[in-house]
């Protein structure tokens, strides 16, 4: 057997007695970070002239800087390439250059090698976008998961979303105005993964990318660092004084303080600006204090105006205006304020460093540039000096004759938002590994096409079970040792969500237990915490005055507290700061789940399910629906008050939700529950608690192997061709049993023996997937095209939507059919728009009045209304009355006044019928002359 080693493309000299032993670890395909591949045990290359030249004569003890070179290596046996990698030069021994040959991370990369040690915030392929404050939030919340960008007819998936959560006990009881800073940018996990791989120079492919759960999975905004908004775009804004003149006892501006000096009294005025537009929301209050959000240079335009009145007189005064940082000193120190005569020539040089600009002039705009620092507070102040001789004659009044103004004209901050800067401080490898765990993903790299193909476990084996490798002639089971899987190996099959001790619901309830269920010791802990929910009660009124009640649940991250006092429920100071929590996973279902009629209800009737964006006029939006468990089985917590003991507790709610009841008074259509209820991110394998958990569905086969299988280890026959063939992606057959390969050890090149480590496949774990495949050895592909028509349910109206979807499967035709039908159903239901309808059937019998003869006429009419049941009843009865009266023929027979003669028809005008409605005979006037 011919063994050859090429280093840097040159054939090395091998000693006659050299023994090269190779190991191979293959089970990395579901662990993207595991270091695997083939490598040799240390070997020694003799000091021949050829070898010395290959190693740049580093055998010379006078040469410095050794052992730092990279050497490419090819290890070949009888023209079979065993290792394509590198030679690691370890040391120079007495006999030669010592080192080992192993797979190269560069030439044969694993996915972990591609992404390295980078952070999520290092992602470069996110496209910066033009964020315009709350208007952008409104746009994103109003979107479907897939939308059509303006001017672009193609459908595009949302990469970002804005998902608010309740952040305090107070917010579970009372509505709260919030801005985008309270929400932050949340990311779809699939997009994050695609961007990570894109940065590495590859693209992702695979059926899982179109999986509904994968597409809806988001990571809530959870960045403890300073928010990275585009303040160059957002900071410019406008605030003004709303009122001018003397209004009752309110005088604008207000006197903040007075300084009594020897010859004069100095009054310091401040301006209670009111926000009009821009990013000043939440940064400037009624006191006129501006809290800076971004450190940078700002151009400001300020207009001040006031009138000083002392009693009935307006004495002579001197003044100057200033723009100050009040974080350290609220006012200019008294010893730095000039005398009255110096007010008109005030010089910034002689004032304190907190004073950033000074000027004179009233009702005149003054523009200047200042440097402001994030977190510090700033204020416009006017300093007014009045002589003491005129300052004691009655009450002083300061008021504005015209409105002043405070404007941030420009800021040298960024103009676009980089979404990556809103991601948590997490390694890309940690995020990727966690996502692989959740969906039980395997991967395959195609370095030629620069693609990484993702497979679920079942897909992976269905693609690689087309041909089974029969090792019955290489391995004797009778000679193999059996050993159990270690507890660590069993535990690694499981995973659990991490805790967040700052979250009351995760720290002081049983929610984590309900999410994780029973876990093996040492199971993998995801870098995410679960999202919990609190119960909220609907009470809405329809058009006819009917009141409907129902229970929903809202996402909440409540601040942890040991206190049980009722005051916690109303405290404005106890809240969870936006993004301060551990990273959270949840499913984003969008804001289209509810009956459209609810969008028009008064906020007072539906405030529990609304949040208010802090715009100048206030914008009310239906909250995006978030989920963790499937909706019917979602555990929900309620806050219970004990007024007598002035305490509260948090308990698991038992009242059925509108989803469990499929309550059509609230839900958009009867299909809503189906779309919200199809999967659960919880891990608990208890079917009654978590019947739609993905974990059990995706890991059922792995759990069988982990809990029932064992390793078999022993020596078997080996050759170079078989060594290359065994990649760990095949099922092995030995006699009548099936196995998977874990590793090959101690294969001595030139020999015919190696040590195998295999583990047994459990009956049922393969799920009848083994087949012959195509003639060329590739797995068979099944294709199906299915059509589905979605219709509005009983009590709703809307046009049916029909969609067609095509899907492939490597498992079976029935699997392809199921995937195609599910895709068609999802597309059709996403496009369905339904309105609630109210149907009424009413009957009316019209009879001739006294003095007339004729047969009664009975009519029945059915009417459909989208307003209310009362509206449907009224219109149906009115229409039946109109039709009956139109056909009624009456002949006068006497006893009712003068005889008008002939036969007559009677009618009434269509419309809602009042109880006291009288007959109307528009064709005849019985009070006047009648002409036959």
């Amino acid at each position: 057997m011919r063994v050859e080693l090429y280093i840097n493309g040159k054939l090395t000299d091998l000693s006659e007695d050299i023994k090269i032993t190779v190991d191979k670890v293959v089970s990395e395909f579901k662990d993207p970070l595991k270091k695997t591949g083939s490598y040799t045990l240390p070997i020694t290359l003799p000091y021949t002239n050829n070898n010395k030249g290959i190693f740049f004569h580093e055998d010379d003890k006078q040469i410095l800087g050794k052992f730092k070179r990279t050497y490419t290596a090819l290890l070949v046996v009888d023209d079979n390439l065993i290792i394509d990698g590198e030679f690691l030069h370890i040391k120079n021994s007495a006999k030669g250059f010592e080192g080992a040959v192993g797979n190269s991370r560069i030439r044969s990369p694993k996915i972990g090698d591609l992404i390295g040690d980078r952070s999520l915030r290092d992602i470069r392929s996110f496209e910066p976008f033009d964020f315009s404050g709350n208007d952008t939030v409104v746009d994103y919340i109003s979107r479907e998961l897939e939308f059509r960008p303006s001017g672009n007819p193609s459908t595009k998936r949302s990469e970002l979303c804005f998902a608010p959560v309740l952040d305090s006990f107070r917010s579970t009881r009372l509505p709260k105005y919030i801005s985008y800073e309270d929400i932050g940018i949340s990311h779809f996990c699939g997009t994050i993964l695609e961007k990570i791989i894109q940065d590495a120079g590859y693209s992702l492919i695979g059926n899982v990318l179109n999986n509904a759960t994968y597409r809806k999975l988001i990571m809530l905004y959870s960045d403890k660092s300073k928010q990275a908004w585009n303040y160059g775009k957002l900071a410019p804004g406008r605030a003004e004084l709303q009122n001018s003149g003397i209004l009752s006892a309110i005088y604008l501006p207000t006197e903040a303080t007075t300084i009594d000096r020897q010859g004069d009294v100095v009054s310091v005025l401040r301006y209670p600006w009111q926000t009009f537009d821009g990013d000043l929301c939440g940064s400037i209050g009624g006191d006129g204090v501006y809290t800076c959000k971004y450190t940078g240079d700002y151009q400001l335009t300020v207009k001040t105006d006031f009138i000083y009145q002392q009693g009935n007189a307006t004495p002579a005064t001197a003044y100057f205006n200033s723009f100050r940082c009040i974080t350290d000193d609220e006012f200019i120190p008294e010893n730095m304020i000039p005398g009255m005569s110096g007010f008109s020539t005030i010089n910034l040089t002689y004032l304190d460093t907190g004073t950033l600009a000074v000027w004179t002039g009233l009702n005149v705009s003054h523009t200047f540039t200042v440097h402001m620092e994030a977190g510090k507070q700033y204020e416009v102040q006017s300093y007014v000096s009045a002589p003491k001789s005129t300052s004691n004659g009655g009450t002083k009044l300061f008021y504005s004759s015209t409105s002043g103004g405070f404007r941030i004209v420009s800021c040298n901050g960024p103009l676009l938002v980089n979404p990556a800067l809103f991601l948590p401080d997490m390694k890309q490898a940690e995020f990727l590994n966690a996502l692989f765990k959740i969906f039980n993903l395997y991967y395959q790299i195609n370095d030629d096409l620069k693609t990484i193909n993702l497979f679920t476990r079942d897909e992976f084996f269905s693609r690689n079970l087309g041909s089974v490798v029969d090792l019955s002639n290489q391995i004797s089971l009778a000679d193999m040792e059996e050993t159990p899987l270690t507890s660590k190996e069993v535990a690694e099959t499981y995973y659990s969500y991490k805790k967040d001790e700052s979250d009351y619901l995760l720290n002081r309830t049983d929610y984590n237990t309900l999410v994780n269920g029973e876990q093996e010791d040492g199971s993998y802990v995801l870098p995410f915490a679960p999202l919990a929910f609190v119960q909220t009660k609907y009470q809405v009124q329809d058009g006819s005055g009917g009141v409907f009640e129902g229970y929903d649940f809202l996402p909440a991250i409540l601040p942890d507290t040991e206190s049980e006092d009722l005051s916690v429920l109303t405290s404005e100071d106890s809240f969870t700061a936006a993004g301060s929590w551990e990273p959270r996973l949840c499913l984003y279902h969008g804001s289209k789940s509810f009956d459209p009629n609810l969008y028009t209800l008064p906020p007072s009737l539906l405030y529990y399910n609304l949040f208010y964006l802090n715009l100048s006029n206030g914008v009310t939006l239906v909250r995006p629906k978030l989920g963790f468990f499937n909706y019917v089985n979602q555990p929900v917590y309620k806050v219970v008050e004990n007024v007598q003991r002035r305490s509260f507790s948090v308990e698991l709610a038992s009242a059925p939700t509108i989803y469990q009841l499929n309550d059509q008074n609230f839900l958009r259509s009867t299909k809503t529950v189906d779309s919200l209820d199809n999967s659960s991110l919880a891990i608990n394998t208890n079917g009654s608690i978590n019947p739609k958990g993905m974990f059990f569905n995706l890991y059922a086969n792995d759990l069988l192997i982990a809990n029932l299988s064992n390793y078999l280890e022993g020596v078997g026959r080996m050759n170079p061709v078989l060594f290359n063939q065994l990649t760990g992606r095949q099922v092995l057959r030995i006699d009548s049993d099936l196995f998977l390969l874990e590793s090959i050890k101690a294969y001595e090149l030139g020999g015919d023996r190696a040590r195998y480590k295999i583990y047994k496949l459990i009956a049922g774990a393969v799920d009848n997937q083994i087949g012959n495949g195509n003639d060329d050895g590739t797995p068979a592909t099944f294709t199906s095209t299915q059509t589905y028509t979605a219709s509005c349910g009983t009590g709703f109206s809307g046009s049916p939507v029909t969609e067609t979807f095509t899907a492939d499967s490597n498992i079976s035709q029935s699997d392809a059919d199921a995937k195609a039908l599910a895709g068609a159903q999802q597309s059709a239901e996403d496009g369905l728009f339904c309105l609630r309808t109210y149907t009424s059937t009413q009957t009316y019998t019209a009879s001739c009045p006294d003095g007339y003869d004729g047969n009664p006429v009975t009519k029945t009419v059915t009417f459909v209304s989208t307003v209310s049941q009362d509206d449907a009843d009224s219109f149906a009865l009115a229409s039946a009355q109109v039709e009956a009266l139109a056909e009624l023929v009456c002949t006068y027979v006497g006893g009712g006044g003068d005889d008008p003669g002939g036969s007559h028809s009677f009618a009434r005008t269509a419309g809602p019928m009042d109880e006291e409605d009288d007959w109307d005979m528009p064709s005849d006037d019985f009070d006047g002359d009648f002409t036959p």
Side-chain angles (χ1 to χ4, degrees):
M1 191 173 288
R2 186 177 72 258
V3 178
E4 298 169 307
L5 175 60
Y6 294 85
I7 294 181
N8 285 351
K10 298 179 180 178
L11 181 62
T12 61
D13 296 331
L14 303 178
S15 60
E16 293 184 0
D17 59 349
I18 191 171
K19 293 182 180 180
I20 301 179
T21 301
V22 183
D23 290 349
K24 175 189 280 190
V25 178
V26 299
S27 56
E28 99 283 1
F29 301 110
K30 62 182 297 184
D31 185 348
L33 307 182
K34 188 173 182 179
K35 304 304 179 186
T36 61
S38 300
Y39 53 91
T40 69
L41 298 182
I43 59 175
T44 301
L45 302 177
Y47 290 131
T48 64
N49 289 334
N50 179 51
N51 288 347
K52 289 179 181 180
I54 292 173
F55 287 96
F56 298 93
H57 298 280
E58 288 192 1
D59 60 309
D60 189 339
K61 292 182 172 50
Q62 302 302 315
I63 294 178
L64 301 177
K66 302 176 182 180
F67 312 112
K68 295 182 179 180
R69 300 180 188 272
T70 299
Y71 299 93
T72 63
L74 298 175
L75 184 58
V76 181
V77 179
D78 288 344
D79 297 326
N80 292 288
L81 182 61
I82 300 299
I83 298 178
D84 179 357
E86 296 177 353
F87 182 89
L88 178 63
H89 188 187
I90 300 173
K91 66 179 180 180
N92 294 334
S93 66
K95 295 184 178 180
F97 302 101
E98 193 168 320
V101 180
N103 286 125
S104 168
R105 297 184 185 179
I106 298 175
R107 302 176 69 180
S108 302
K110 306 295 185 292
I111 198 169
D113 301 326
L114 296 177
I115 61 180
D117 196 42
R118 292 189 290 270
S119 164
L120 290 180
R121 295 178 190 168
D122 295 328
I123 294 176
R124 303 184 303 277
S125 50
F126 271 113
E127 183 178 350
F129 74 107
D130 186 6
F131 182 80
S132 300
N134 290 325
D135 290 339
T136 302
V137 177
V138 171
D139 172 42
Y140 272 81
I141 288 178
S142 302
R143 289 179 178 181
E144 297 283 4
L145 293 177
E146 296 183 342
F147 64 97
R148 297 186 184 277
S150 177
N152 185 347
S154 62
T155 299
K156 179 180 180 181
R157 289 183 185 172
S158 287
E159 296 183 348
L160 312 169
C161 63
F162 294 86
V165 298
L166 301 182
D167 61 1
S168 65
F169 284 96
R170 179 184 174 86
S171 66
T172 66
R173 300 156 52 89
L174 299 171
K176 177 183 179 181
Y177 281 88
I178 62 176
S179 74
Y180 55 85
E181 292 176 307
D182 300 306
I183 306 175
I185 297 176
S186 296
H187 296 72
F188 284 89
C189 292
T191 299
I192 298 174
L193 183 58
E194 289 174 25
K195 300 298 183 184
I196 290 173
I197 300 305
Q198 186 176 333
D199 280 357
Y202 292 75
S203 60
L204 279 180
I205 59 175
N207 290 332
V208 70
L209 303 184
N210 295 315
N211 176 275
T213 302
Y214 180 88
R215 284 166 44 203
K216 290 182 176 182
L217 186 68
I218 67 168
M219 181 166 57
L220 284 181
Y221 166 67
S222 53
D223 179 9
K224 297 181 177 64
S225 62
K226 184 177 177 295
Q227 293 179 334
W229 300 108
N230 52 330
Y231 287 109
K233 173 72 178 289
L234 297 175
R238 175 172 66 99
E240 292 182 358
L241 293 172
Q242 279 291 279
N243 303 309
S244 61
I246 301 177
L247 301 176
S248 301
I250 301 175
Y251 311 119
L252 302 173
T254 58
E255 183 179 43
T257 189
T258 58
I259 302 171
D260 192 347
R261 303 197 297 186
Q262 185 173 358
D264 65 349
V265 174
V266 177
S267 297
V268 182
L269 313 182
R270 56 168 46 121
Y271 295 81
W273 312 114
Q274 300 291 320
T275 299
F276 273 80
D277 57 39
D279 190 47
L280 297 180
C281 57
S283 296
I284 192 167
D287 57 359
V289 175
Y290 177 75
T291 303
C292 182
K293 300 178 181 180
Y294 174 78
T295 298
D297 294 332
Y298 292 75
Q299 185 182 40
L300 307 179
T301 295
V302 180
K303 182 172 69 173
T304 59
D305 193 27
F306 64 86
I307 294 176
Y308 176 91
Q309 185 172 325
Q310 186 74 36
N312 295 322
T314 304
T317 58
Y319 75 94
F320 66 86
N321 305 306
S322 68
F323 182 74
R324 303 193 67 257
C325 175
I326 62 173
T327 301
D328 297 324
D329 293 310
E330 187 174 3
F331 307 108
I332 299 174
E334 182 178 346
N335 62 347
M336 290 188 172
I337 300 175
M340 185 174 183
S341 61
F343 271 45
S344 60
T345 57
I346 188 71
N347 191 325
L348 184 63
T349 306
Y350 301 112
L351 298 178
D352 65 319
T353 56
T355 304
L356 304 180
V358 292
W359 69 97
T360 58
L362 297 178
N363 199 21
V364 176
S365 295
H366 180 70
T367 301
F368 53 93
T369 300
V370 293
H371 184 78
M372 290 194 280
E373 298 180 36
K376 292 191 174 183
Q377 295 185 312
Y378 299 84
E379 185 178 61
V380 176
Q381 298 175 348
S382 292
Y383 287 72
V384 184
S385 171
K388 269 198 171 181
S389 59
T390 61
S391 64
N392 298 317
T395 304
K396 292 181 295 182
L397 301 177
F398 296 96
Y399 65 95
S400 170
S401 58
T402 58
S403 292
F406 174 77
R407 287 172 171 79
I408 297 179
V409 179
S410 65
C411 169
N412 68 339
L415 296 175
L416 298 174
V417 163
N418 179 4
L421 299 182
F422 289 81
L423 288 166
D425 187 16
M426 181 187 298
K427 295 297 184 183
Q428 293 181 14
E430 185 179 18
F431 173 86
L432 182 144
N433 196 38
L435 213 59
F436 270 53
K437 276 285 187 181
I438 292 172
F439 290 94
N440 201 4
L441 295 180
Y442 290 42
Y443 75 95
Q444 191 171 39
I445 296 177
N446 187 322
D447 215 32
D448 294 328
L449 299 177
K450 291 296 180 184
T451 60
I452 296 178
N453 203 344
L454 300 182
F455 312 96
T456 63
R457 188 243 193 225
D458 289 344
E459 287 179 321
F460 176 83
F461 281 106
S462 70
R463 291 177 64 92
N464 293 284
L465 295 181
S467 59
V468 178
V469 178
D470 193 332
L471 297 182
S472 300
N473 292 329
Q474 279 74 27
I475 297 176
S476 171
L477 293 179
D479 298 331
M480 303 285 279
E481 298 176 349
E482 288 187 293
T483 57
L485 274 67
T486 66
S487 57
K488 181 176 183 298
E489 289 166 329
V490 173
E492 285 178 350
T493 301
Y494 294 81
Y495 63 85
S496 61
Y497 287 89
K498 72 185 304 184
K499 296 181 179 180
D500 187 345
E501 295 182 353
S502 65
D503 183 346
Y504 186 99
L505 295 175
L506 299 190
N507 196 37
R508 299 185 184 273
T509 72
D510 60 349
Y511 189 66
N512 264 54
T513 301
L514 295 176
V515 168
N516 290 325
E518 294 185 4
Q519 288 283 328
E520 295 287 329
D521 292 338
S523 64
Y524 172 80
V525 179
L526 296 169
F528 312 112
L531 183 63
F533 295 81
V534 295
Q535 183 187 77
T536 183
K537 184 178 182 180
Y538 285 121
Q539 188 177 56
V540 298
Q541 188 174 6
D542 65 13
S544 62
V547 176
F548 300 102
E549 290 186 348
Y551 288 101
D552 191 11
F553 46 84
L554 296 179
I557 303 178
L558 305 180
D560 186 51
T561 176
E562 293 183 354
S563 174
E564 297 178 354
D565 192 87
L566 275 181
S567 61
V568 172
L569 305 184
T570 56
S571 173
E572 295 183 359
D573 299 324
S574 178
F575 62 91
T576 307
S580 63
W581 44 75
E582 294 289 344
R584 293 290 198 282
L585 288 188
C586 63
L587 298 175
Y588 183 88
H589 298 289
S591 59
K592 307 297 185 182
S593 303
F594 283 87
D595 189 316
N597 291 331
L598 295 186
Y599 284 67
T600 60
L601 288 171
S604 60
L605 294 178
L606 197 60
Y607 68 80
Y608 276 122
N609 194 51
L610 301 175
F611 70 92
Y612 303 86
L613 284 173
N614 197 6
L615 300 173
S616 58
N617 59 346
V619 170
T620 301
L621 290 174
V622 174
R623 284 179 179 268
K625 300 304 296 179
L626 305 181
F628 193 83
F629 281 77
N630 65 298
Y631 261 56
V632 169
N633 295 88
Q634 175 66 53
V636 183
Y637 293 85
K638 63 179 180 180
V639 179
V640 180
E641 299 181 32
N642 188 324
V643 178
Q644 290 182 336
R645 303 179 68 176
R646 287 197 53 79
S647 64
F648 76 94
S649 60
V650 177
E651 302 173 1
L652 194 64
S654 58
T657 67
I658 59 175
Y659 310 101
Q660 292 167 324
L661 299 175
N662 203 355
D663 194 332
Q664 297 178 33
N665 294 308
F666 299 96
L667 301 177
R668 187 184 183 99
S669 77
T670 55
K671 301 295 185 182
T672 298
V673 172
D674 293 337
S675 64
L676 296 176
D677 197 51
N678 53 14
S679 62
S680 167
L681 298 177
I683 306 164
N684 199 328
T685 57
N686 186 326
S688 62
I689 296 174
N690 190 36
K692 297 190 177 181
M694 292 194 312
F695 173 77
F696 185 76
N697 291 332
L698 292 172
Y699 279 82
N701 292 327
D702 293 299
L703 294 175
L704 279 174
I705 293 173
N707 290 298
L708 299 176
S709 186
N710 56 270
Y711 281 123
L712 286 87
E713 294 185 74
V715 175
R717 298 171 61 85
M718 180 59 66
N719 60 66
V721 174
L722 182 60
F723 185 87
N724 278 336
Q725 182 184 3
L726 297 179
T727 63
R729 296 171 181 262
Q730 308 98 338
V731 168
L732 311 179
R733 185 189 304 279
I734 305 174
D735 300 332
S736 59
D737 289 324
L738 300 177
F739 300 86
L740 294 174
L741 177 67
E742 197 276 341
S743 63
I744 300 171
K745 299 288 184 68
Y747 175 41
E748 185 178 317
L749 303 184
D752 63 354
R753 290 288 187 272
R755 186 171 183 84
Y756 290 86
K757 186 174 183 180
I758 57 178
Y759 56 96
K760 190 173 182 180
L761 272 175
I762 307 302
V766 184
D767 197 25
N768 299 319
Q769 294 178 38
I770 299 178
N772 294 323
N774 297 320
D775 293 338
D776 60 358
T778 61
T781 299
F782 303 94
T783 301
S784 176
T785 299
Q786 299 289 330
T787 298
Y788 184 89
T789 298
S791 303
C792 297
T794 303
F796 291 83
S797 67
S799 300
V801 176
T802 300
E803 293 287 350
T804 300
F805 193 89
T806 300
D808 294 333
S809 172
N810 297 116
I811 299 176
S812 66
Q813 185 62 52
S814 60
D815 183 65
D817 294 342
K819 288 181 177 179
L821 183 59
Q825 180 177 352
Q826 182 71 46
S827 298
E829 290 176 353
D830 286 347
L832 190 64
F833 185 84
C834 302
L835 287 173
R836 180 166 178 77
T837 58
Y838 303 86
T839 302
S840 176
T841 300
Q842 299 289 333
T843 299
Y844 184 86
T845 300
S847 303
C848 294
D850 292 340
Y852 287 78
D853 187 29
N855 295 324
V857 177
T858 299
K859 290 292 181 180
T860 300
V861 173
T862 298
F863 187 82
V864 179
S865 169
T866 59
V867 178
S868 67
Q869 188 62 50
D870 285 351
D871 183 69
D873 294 341
S874 180
F875 270 92
L877 184 58
S879 298
Q881 182 184 11
V882 168
E883 292 185 18
L885 290 174
E887 293 186 17
L888 182 66
V889 177
C890 299
T891 302
Y892 181 76
V893 295
D898 295 335
D899 180 12
S903 299
H904 306 280
S905 298
F906 299 84
R908 74 177 300 275
T909 303
M913 182 177 180
D914 298 325
E915 290 182 3
E916 303 298 328
D917 202 18
D918 294 324
W919 281 64
D920 181 24
M921 294 176 273
S923 61
D924 302 305
D925 184 357
F926 284 88
D927 295 327
D929 295 333
F930 178 75
T931 301

